[in-house]
Amino acid sequence: MMNFHQYYPIDVVNGPGTRCTLFVSGCVHKCPGCYNARTWKPESGLPFTEAAEDQIITDLTDPIIKRRGLSLSGGDPLFPGNVEAVARLVARVRREAPGKDIWLWTGYTFESMTSAQREVLHDIDVLIDGKFVQALHDPRLKWRGSSNQRIIDVHCQGIPDCTYTPSDEGLLSTPKGLRLPAALPD
């Protein structure tokens, strides 16, 4: 079972627009200088229950406080012990909160992901990949802590020169030569 450290039903920092943000427990990377080191131990925090998942769906579909989407951070949502629960959550968000975007931060690079981790990409929109590197830290970077981390529009994969431009934010581009396996649907 996955644990989590914090859930913000209203967040304007971790991705574009007003969002729901979940910080999960568990991380193998243990990056020096990590701002969220307390989330590294997978058994820390609280159990991510069906009630917690239900609350995220309720918040995402709230007609009074409109949210643009869901942000998943940590810890690491793609920590092996989290993959099953995260996959279930993002699939449910797709079904029950259509039109919401999903952003996911991970210390794994796209190229180093297992097939199970890559399966989660079916249901997310934007992947921020790579470990935090203290020597490459730049506080001017938007949505990432160090310049080695990439912002990848997952749905642009395989489309030459594709870019994703959120209506209220700057340009996100797909790194040259980075492609999802052909088995992933469009």
Side-chain angles (χ1 to χ4, degrees):
M1 171 177 272
M2 180 172 78
N3 282 5
F4 73 102
H5 263 262
Q6 188 71 45
Y7 170 63
Y8 294 105
I10 301 172
D11 183 15
V12 295
V13 175
N14 295 289
T18 303
R19 328 182 53 73
C20 298
T21 299
L22 180 68
F23 288 90
V24 301
S25 302
C27 185
V28 298
H29 308 294
K30 298 181 173 54
C31 303
C34 175
Y35 79 98
N36 222 356
R38 66 188 177 92
T39 65
W40 291 351
K41 293 181 181 176
E43 66 278 359
S44 64
L46 302 169
F48 186 70
T49 62
E50 188 174 341
E53 190 174 296
D54 291 345
Q55 186 62 56
I56 291 171
I57 299 299
T58 297
D59 292 338
L60 284 170
T61 58
D62 182 348
I64 308 251
I65 302 174
K66 297 188 183 331
R67 277 83 164 185
R68 178 173 170 163
L70 173 65
S71 292
L72 299 167
S73 191
D76 194 328
L78 296 183
F79 174 76
N82 294 341
V83 170
E84 185 179 327
V86 168
R88 188 174 50 251
L89 172 63
V90 296
R92 185 172 175 201
V93 169
R94 284 286 175 244
R95 284 190 316 273
E96 297 181 33
K100 303 300 180 185
D101 64 15
I102 301 172
W103 287 45
L104 187 147
W105 280 255
T106 182
Y108 296 95
T109 61
F110 174 86
E111 295 85 357
S112 71
M113 288 181 191
T114 66
S115 59
Q117 290 168 325
R118 285 187 182 194
E119 281 296 313
V120 174
L121 303 184
H122 285 285
D123 288 315
I124 70 164
D125 298 288
V126 177
L127 173 72
I128 295 84
D129 79 340
K131 296 176 185 180
F132 171 74
V133 177
Q134 183 71 46
L136 300 175
H137 174 67
D138 183 346
R140 297 169 297 176
L141 295 171
K142 193 171 249 184
W143 301 315
R144 55 200 174 120
S146 57
S147 60
N148 63 298
Q149 295 171 314
R150 301 175 296 183
I151 301 171
I152 301 169
D153 176 8
V154 175
H155 297 292
C156 272
Q157 298 304 313
I159 302 170
D161 301 317
C162 176
T163 59
Y164 169 73
T165 308
S167 59
D168 62 346
E169 298 298 338
L171 181 70
L172 302 178
S173 64
T174 303
K176 297 273 185 217
L178 184 65
R179 298 289 180 254
L180 291 174
L184 285 177
D186 293 331

